[in-house]
Amino acid sequence: MTSIARGLKKPLIWVIVLTLAYLTILAVRPSEVYFGVPGQWTWSGRPPAASTIPRWWPSLALLALLAGAGLWYDKRWETLSRRHKTVALTTLALLIPLLQVALKYIHYRYPLEYYLYRTIGPHNGFWQAAIAIESIGDYLRHYPDQMRAASGIFVHLPVHPPGNIVYLWGWRKIFDLFPGLGHTVAHYLRGYNCADLTFVTLQDSQIAAAVGQIITTLFSGLTVFPLYAWGKRLRDARTGWRAALLFSFIPALSLFTMRWDSVYPFFCVLAFAWLHRGLETGHVRWWFCAGLVVSLASFFSFGNATFAPAVALYAALYLWQKNPGTIIRAWKSWLALLLGGYVIWGLYEALTGISVWEIFATTLETHLNLGRTYWPWIFYNLYDLIAFAGIPVGVLFVAQSAGAWLNVPRRQNPISALPALAVSGVILALNFSGVVRGEVGRMWLPWMPIIVLAAVLWLAEKRDGRGYPLMAGLMALQCLWMTLFLRVSPTGMPSYAPRQPGNPAIGTSLQVTFEHDIQLVGYAVETAQTTPGGTVDLTLYWRAATRPDLPYTVFLHLTDADGVLQAQNDGMPAGNTLPTSCWLPGEVVEDHRLVEIPANAPPGIYTAQVGLYYLPTLTRLPIIDGGAGDFFDLPFTIMIDK
């Protein structure tokens, strides 16, 4: 028993015990209280379906590659050339988003479905707002009103500043400048959302702008560069590499892939890395750059504004450790930090007349009315932080922070303790202030690379050579396990499934080819004789050699003997369920149509005319074979009796 008691005093023993306990809870899910506050917010989850097992292997292979290669590099890092280190870090930065895609592949057979649906779905509203902007200047000058108008429609737009929208608007403008590229991208994306006629009829540049959100996954890997540089300055190059590698295994990073929150760690770590450089060198410009990063990050999310007190606390603690008097003597540096922190918002106010406080007040109108109680979240906020950062690094972060705060009055902390001090101080302040309640596993993500760095620094101080491989293995295991058993980021849209080509029997064959190789290959008439007020029932059969780029509307017009239009049926094929942009190459599409005859239609012999047009421009497709003009007269007549 004595040996057990001694073992439990060692943080690494707690790392193993608590990690295995949490993985068991994830698999068994004994109670909802382990996943939030029931009735207010809980993370949903279920065991992975057996059908997903064949899709595990890419994730297993990548996790094994990252852990194995990362530990191999760890042993040799100090002997590698600078070029070799750069290649290793760049490769790691590229493998991080690849791992996220592989983990999503477990539950989504078509990962692009997830990434596209998260962009155009009902959650954020950023893409929807960006593609609808006619004048970016007018939009930004009335942004608080735009936020209020989106309340109740979208979840995140009413509480966010305009950075995400400006970013996506910029992507639309890029595709406007390069219409060929936009056309190619939109052609590909339209096939994933065939049921949404509003989506498929958008302009190419509007649809293609969704790529701007999708590729944020790639940005998540950039965090390794400032994280490595900061760790190197705090202790040594191996510490920087270890932190960068463990960052790739953070569960929240993969669970919330493509969410803007996966990009914010880069801003957070970059601000600290530049500030630390300014503290070491005494150059004021690095303080300004750190503030500028915070200003830019807060333009995307007000949650990132919390970087400001964190970097200020970091600087104050650093100066306090050196000499308390330098805190005041560094007033020029503090001023540079403050100016940098207001640059983006100052420009915004100068250009629009809207201050940051007006937008922030509008955010609070929604954010403070979520109906979540205070006291339960005092515990669950920190619980979520440790769980989603990874139990192994979370436990060591707590150990590092607790010890460091005890040493603050005596100024006995090494510089390596400052990341834990600064981040834990701000997190505790946010927690007890009550401004964060629920869903914080995602919201705490910007701080998680610093939690990783603090854990690595703790290991370095203890000189425990076995601890790091253990940490890497447990973090990789938890990353996979949480992906398997949690469902934290649904798309809010129906699942995508590739269509199987139709093969209907064609009534009467035709060979009429419209532009873009869209062929009318047949028809069938169910009702060729009726009376005013009745209906004409017929079916058209279409085929395209390749999938058309755009969703064309089919028109079926009935004209009398004088050529006057008397009745019509316009719409997407197959009752508005199968746009041409979703046809499979070579498949026969059955397009059933009912044409209502007006009650005042004159009796007589009618002709049925068929064609296609693009609704946004009303441009008809010309016939290039089997006829002439931009419509085809079907080879039969319809009798309208008295």
Side-chain angles (χ1 to χ4, degrees):
M1 294 295 293
T2 304
S3 60
I4 295 176
R6 279 200 305 268
L8 291 178
K9 293 180 180 180
K10 299 180 179 180
L12 285 176
I13 299 298
W14 283 106
V15 163
I16 298 172
V17 172
L18 292 177
T19 300
L20 295 179
Y22 185 69
L23 298 187
T24 302
I25 290 170
L26 284 172
V28 177
R29 204 173 181 92
S31 171
E32 292 301 300
V33 299
Y34 291 100
F35 302 95
V37 180
Q40 296 186 29
W41 176 272
T42 56
W43 297 110
S44 61
R46 61 181 182 274
S51 60
T52 66
I53 294 176
R55 299 199 295 273
W56 294 12
W57 70 264
S59 298
L60 293 171
L62 279 171
L63 287 167
L65 174 64
L66 282 167
L71 293 175
W72 184 89
Y73 273 110
D74 176 59
K75 293 180 180 180
R76 298 161 177 81
W77 193 259
E78 300 297 345
T79 64
L80 298 178
S81 67
R82 182 175 181 180
R83 180 179 179 183
H84 200 163
K85 291 176 180 177
T86 302
V87 170
L89 285 167
T90 303
T91 302
L92 181 60
L94 294 174
L95 288 178
I96 286 173
L98 186 61
L99 175 62
Q100 295 172 38
V101 174
L103 289 167
K104 277 301 172 189
Y105 175 62
I106 292 175
H107 298 298
Y108 293 88
R109 291 181 59 196
Y110 308 95
L112 184 59
E113 165 209 355
Y114 173 83
Y115 288 101
L116 175 64
Y117 284 9
R118 280 298 312 182
T119 301
I120 68 175
H123 293 87
N124 294 334
F126 303 134
W127 170 80
Q128 290 88 338
I131 65 171
I133 293 174
E134 296 183 2
S135 168
I136 187 66
D138 288 343
Y139 185 86
L140 294 178
R141 279 190 289 271
H142 299 89
Y143 189 69
D145 294 332
Q146 302 289 349
M147 295 170 70
R148 295 186 185 96
S151 182
I153 302 174
F154 297 110
V155 177
H156 296 128
L157 182 57
V159 295
H160 274 71
N164 302 322
I165 297 171
V166 173
Y167 167 82
L168 290 172
W169 173 84
W171 275 93
R172 181 191 172 186
K173 290 304 175 183
I174 290 173
F175 286 116
D176 280 335
L177 293 174
F178 300 96
L181 178 61
H183 185 74
T184 300
V185 174
H187 170 79
Y188 189 72
L189 296 181
R190 279 191 176 98
Y192 278 87
N193 195 29
C194 296
D196 188 345
L197 297 184
T198 301
F199 175 79
V200 298
T201 55
L202 290 172
Q203 299 174 20
D204 288 341
S205 61
Q206 293 175 307
I207 294 176
V211 169
Q213 173 91 33
I214 293 171
I215 67 168
T216 55
T217 307
L218 298 175
F219 301 156
S220 62
L222 296 177
T223 306
V224 302
F225 295 106
L227 185 58
Y228 171 77
W230 188 19
K232 181 180 177 181
R233 285 182 172 272
L234 281 166
R235 189 173 182 90
D236 54 38
R238 177 173 289 173
T239 297
W241 169 253
R242 289 181 167 186
L245 179 63
L246 286 187
F247 169 74
S248 67
F249 298 133
I250 289 177
L253 192 63
S254 295
L255 288 169
F256 302 108
T257 176
M258 200 207 70
R259 302 287 289 269
W260 290 98
D261 308 87
S262 67
V263 182
Y264 299 151
F266 170 73
F267 290 111
C268 185
V269 176
L270 183 62
F272 277 97
W274 278 352
L275 176 66
H276 186 87
R277 188 169 182 179
L279 288 164
E280 277 192 339
T281 63
H283 293 157
V284 173
R285 65 175 180 272
W286 294 112
W287 289 66
F288 177 83
C289 289
L292 180 62
V293 171
V294 175
S295 181
L296 179 61
S298 67
F299 193 64
F300 285 83
S301 172
F302 282 126
N304 296 335
T306 57
F307 300 170
V311 296
L313 179 59
Y314 185 90
L317 289 170
Y318 184 99
L319 297 173
W320 170 266
Q321 292 288 117
K322 297 293 184 181
N323 185 343
T326 58
I327 295 179
I328 298 176
R329 290 196 295 271
W331 64 271
K332 291 182 180 179
S333 299
W334 290 112
L335 181 60
L337 183 67
L338 184 63
L339 290 175
Y342 196 68
V343 165
I344 302 299
W345 286 108
L347 288 173
Y348 181 80
E349 184 171 0
L351 294 173
T352 66
I354 300 294
S355 71
V356 58
W357 311 114
E358 292 179 68
I359 298 177
F360 185 65
T362 308
T363 293
L364 293 181
E365 292 174 10
T366 300
H367 182 71
L368 295 182
N369 293 286
L370 296 177
R372 295 172 187 165
T373 53
Y374 175 80
W375 287 109
W377 290 106
I378 295 299
F379 166 76
Y380 278 106
N381 282 340
L382 302 180
Y383 173 83
D384 255 14
L385 171 67
I386 295 173
F388 280 83
I391 301 294
V393 297
V395 171
L396 297 191
F397 170 72
V398 171
Q400 174 84 314
S401 301
W405 278 110
L406 292 175
N407 289 327
V408 167
R410 297 188 294 270
R411 290 195 290 137
Q412 294 178 352
N413 277 316
I415 297 300
S416 60
L418 295 186
L421 283 170
V423 171
S424 63
V426 171
I427 286 175
L428 289 173
L430 291 171
N431 185 38
F432 285 101
S433 70
V435 298
V436 284
R437 305 179 195 178
E439 203 190 353
V440 289
R442 171 181 61 85
M443 296 167 61
W444 292 128
L445 185 51
W447 305 105
M448 292 181 187
I450 307 180
I451 292 174
V452 167
L453 179 60
V456 171
L457 289 167
W458 185 92
L459 286 173
E461 290 171 9
K462 302 302 179 182
R463 302 184 184 278
D464 190 333
R466 297 170 299 175
Y468 183 68
L470 172 68
M471 297 280 288
L474 290 175
M475 286 288 287
L477 176 61
Q478 185 180 344
C479 180
L480 174 66
W481 209 254
M482 290 184 75
T483 295
L484 292 176
F485 288 95
L486 284 183
R487 304 289 191 276
V488 302
S489 191
T491 66
M493 298 179 68
S495 295
Y496 166 77
R499 289 192 312 103
Q500 298 302 314
N503 188 28
I506 299 174
T508 302
S509 296
L510 292 171
Q511 288 296 327
V512 181
T513 303
F514 290 84
E515 191 176 54
H516 304 306
D517 207 18
I518 299 176
Q519 298 175 339
L520 178 63
V521 296
Y523 69 93
V525 183
E526 299 295 330
T527 305
Q529 184 172 354
T530 187
T531 59
T535 59
V536 172
D537 187 349
L538 59 86
T539 302
L540 304 172
Y541 297 91
W542 302 92
R543 183 170 57 208
T546 58
R547 181 161 71 91
D549 290 324
L550 298 175
Y552 295 104
T553 300
V554 174
F555 66 85
L556 176 60
H557 292 174
L558 301 185
T559 60
D560 60 22
D562 296 326
V564 178
L565 177 64
Q566 297 293 344
Q568 67 185 92
N569 180 308
D570 288 24
M572 300 285 179
N576 288 323
T577 64
L578 191 53
T580 57
S581 57
C582 293
W583 290 0
L584 299 176
E587 76 166 323
V588 175
V589 175
E590 188 174 37
D591 183 18
H592 185 73
R593 294 183 177 268
L594 286 176
V595 184
E596 296 182 0
I597 307 300
N600 60 352
I605 296 175
Y606 282 41
T607 300
Q609 299 175 343
V610 178
L612 302 105
Y613 62 91
Y614 184 49
L615 183 60
T617 62
L618 298 178
T619 303
R620 290 189 178 187
L621 296 186
I623 296 174
I624 60 175
D625 189 28
D630 54 18
F631 63 86
F632 178 75
D633 289 335
L634 292 172
F636 64 88
T637 57
I638 297 170
M639 178 62 71
I640 306 297
D641 297 328
K642 293 183 179 180

